[in-house]
Amino acid sequence: MKFIIDIIEDIREQINNQEAYTLTAGLLKEDPEDKNKLIYSGEAKLNTWHIDEIKKQLIFEIDGSDTQITIGEFIPPLLICDMDSMMFELKIDVNVAYQNMEVVGFGKNEVEKRYILFIKI
């Protein structure tokens, strides 16, 4: 389980808040031969995000549009959140079948300037 504070710190450490990076979801699946291993199964760009105060979650959405979330637009509003909000969970709504997916880790692709949020199915 990852929280807003985790992504803020990781983005600062991994990519130094470079504004041009875009956010993507990376899909991990269990290896059918070894349940302790995960297999990388692809990426999709994250299109929108919002904070749900009731569920105490920051929710990313993939809607298939051409919209991209950049670090430059994503990080500044988070930096002014109060400490309670910093502990909101990170979730991703991939599609109708896969909603409220838990973010399990972070990564980066320096060549394509992408910051990756990993989810597991």
Side-chain angles (χ1 to χ4, degrees):
M1 180 180 319
K2 297 293 183 184
F3 302 94
I4 291 176
I5 190 87
D6 298 326
I7 195 170
I8 290 172
E9 289 178 6
D10 195 72
I11 287 173
R12 181 178 41 80
E13 291 172 6
Q14 295 298 319
I15 62 170
N16 198 26
N17 290 343
Q18 292 183 50
E19 295 183 359
Y21 272 69
T22 58
L23 295 175
T24 61
L27 177 61
L28 302 173
K29 293 184 179 180
E30 283 186 357
D31 185 336
E33 297 173 13
D34 183 352
K35 299 290 184 196
N36 294 323
K37 290 184 180 179
L38 296 173
I39 299 171
Y40 175 76
S41 299
E43 286 181 31
K45 63 183 169 183
L46 297 169
N47 306 113
T48 62
W49 67 278
H50 67 279
I51 292 177
D52 186 323
E53 296 282 342
I54 296 168
K55 292 181 180 177
K56 298 186 183 293
Q57 297 175 341
L58 186 154
I59 303 166
F60 297 96
E61 297 168 346
I62 299 172
D63 63 14
S65 71
D66 289 333
T67 306
Q68 295 185 19
I69 303 170
T70 65
I71 296 299
E73 69 187 40
F74 176 66
I75 290 295
L78 296 181
L79 294 176
I80 60 172
C81 289
D82 60 31
M83 202 54 205
D84 289 338
S85 298
M86 291 288 183
M87 296 310 296
F88 285 8
E89 293 179 66
L90 301 178
K91 299 288 185 167
I92 298 178
D93 289 345
V94 178
N95 57 33
V96 176
Y98 295 102
Q99 300 234 339
N100 210 28
M101 302 297 296
E102 183 178 318
V103 174
V104 297
F106 306 118
K108 65 181 176 179
N109 179 324
E110 292 179 346
V111 174
E112 297 182 21
K113 302 284 187 209
R114 292 193 312 243
Y115 183 80
I116 306 161
L117 287 75
F118 289 106
I119 57 174
K120 181 181 114 177
I121 294 183

